[in-house]
Amino acid sequence: AEATPSEQAWTKGKELVENTLAQYRKTHGDYPRKVSYTFWAGEFITTEGATLAQVFWMLGVEPVRDGQGRVVDLRLVPSEELGRPRINVVVQVSGQLRDIAGSRLLLTDAVRLASEAKDEAYPNYVASGTVLQEKLLVEKGTSPKRAREMSVMRVFGPVNSGYSTGIMGYTEHSGSWEDEKEIAQGYL
């Protein structure tokens, strides 16, 4: 887990992002503001973190490695080098991935780094998403300090020792709830 995304996964992840963005732009005429990912343990192991690489590259952040190839830090890719907007992300992780590599994903650090970028030659959808999230949290009664901390959180998954989001129960009993907000509240 310490070396993920591997060098090969990094190259593949960047390529997948560029292909995804090109396809989106061809269809919609602009860049997406936010992209979602689901991280599965099996995929993470098999691809050595290619999905993680995709999220980093969407954000415009790259891994910094030590002499043994372990990821020890993250570097903000300058806007001019990135050549496009920083794309906001939301990530759902499986319980198994949380158990094997959750502490190594560095996703919140990557989001924080991207949201604080100041060299923007292109839009920064990570920063605007963070500002909006903080504002909405404060409006809902969260303290400004806690709202600021929570505004960079983009990774969601089951609680410790849990391996499901619990949403399947809502799906199986679709006649037992009246409002979609009940599903969102159940997920949270």
Side-chain angles (χ1 to χ4, degrees):
E2 291 81 10
T4 54
S6 69
E7 293 283 353
Q8 183 177 4
W10 178 246
T11 300
K12 187 63 174 174
K14 287 173 60 176
E15 179 184 323
L16 288 167
V17 165
E18 294 307 324
N19 290 342
T20 299
L21 293 177
Q23 182 179 5
Y24 188 92
R25 289 184 71 202
K26 182 178 177 184
T27 304
H28 301 282
D30 202 357
Y31 287 95
R33 296 180 64 82
K34 185 184 284 184
V35 176
S36 65
Y37 289 90
T38 300
F39 285 13
W40 298 100
E43 179 274 336
F44 181 79
I45 293 166
T46 303
T47 68
E48 299 178 342
T51 310
L52 177 61
Q54 289 177 64
V55 170
F56 284 166
W57 195 240
M58 282 287 182
L59 295 168
V61 172
E62 66 183 0
V64 175
R65 300 175 191 283
D66 67 9
Q68 296 178 334
R70 295 177 299 211
V71 176
V72 294
D73 203 359
L74 298 170
R75 176 185 89 87
L76 184 70
V77 177
S79 184
E80 295 81 14
E81 182 182 332
L82 188 60
R84 60 165 173 79
R86 294 184 195 282
I87 309 298
N88 203 358
V89 297
V90 64
V91 176
Q92 179 176 342
V93 297
S94 70
Q96 289 178 326
L97 181 65
R98 174 207 59 225
D99 291 350
I100 65 168
S103 66
R104 292 294 312 155
L105 296 180
L106 306 174
L107 288 169
T108 301
D109 294 339
V111 170
R112 186 175 292 113
L113 195 59
S115 69
E116 294 172 353
K118 302 292 186 220
D119 68 333
E120 299 308 296
Y122 300 92
N124 184 340
Y125 300 132
V126 185
S128 59
T130 299
V131 168
L132 177 61
Q133 190 68 12
E134 183 177 347
K135 177 182 178 281
L136 292 172
L137 287 165
V138 169
E139 287 175 1
K140 297 273 185 190
T142 305
S143 75
K145 180 182 179 201
R146 182 68 178 140
R148 193 167 304 109
E149 292 168 356
M150 292 174 65
S151 69
V152 294
M153 294 180 183
R154 303 291 196 285
V155 183
F156 303 92
V159 295
N160 287 342
S161 76
Y163 294 93
S164 165
T165 61
I167 296 302
M168 185 58 86
Y170 287 96
T171 304
E172 292 170 347
H173 300 99
S174 62
S176 66
W177 47 269
E178 297 294 323
D179 188 338
E180 290 177 354
K181 291 179 182 177
E182 292 179 56
I183 299 171
Q185 190 58 43
Y187 179 78
L188 294 173

